[in-house]
Amino acid sequence: MSQNEFYPEEVLIEKMQSGEYGWLDYVNHFSAEWQEEYVSYCRQNNLTVGNDSAATFVRHKDEQLETAMENGDA
């Protein structure tokens, strides 16, 4: 993935809502860690890098956070 400027989640949500960004942009501008995790996620699940797989990845990250919160780990 290319090196991008990163934004707070609130800014990314605004850019998504305005139509300026899609899911792939969201992932790429969230953090360098997410960029790396996303590429790995795509490889592990035989997914093509793009908006659909990026949306799936974000749902996956949300589920991880929910699980961590339920277990008292977040």
Side-chain angles (χ1 to χ4, degrees), residues 24-69:
L24 184 58
D25 297 309
Y26 185 97
V27 170
N28 281 327
H29 292 279
F30 190 86
S31 71
E33 182 179 270
W34 268 37
Q35 286 178 349
E36 292 173 16
E37 286 184 43
Y38 172 61
V39 170
S40 177
Y41 179 82
C42 286
R43 283 188 192 126
Q44 291 172 359
N45 294 285
N46 295 317
L47 299 172
T48 303
V49 170
N51 278 318
D52 289 340
S53 61
T56 301
F57 173 75
V58 172
R59 282 192 298 273
H60 169 73
K61 294 301 287 181
D62 284 345
E63 289 169 5
Q64 282 183 329
L65 178 59
E66 284 181 34
T67 300
M69 289 172 58

Side-chain angles (χ1 to χ4, degrees), residues 2-7 12 21 25 28-31 35:
S2 61
Q3 192 69 313
N4 293 314
E5 185 173 347
F6 303 113
Y7 299 108
L12 293 171
Y21 275 11
D25 297 309
N28 281 327
H29 292 279
F30 190 86
S31 71
Q35 286 178 349

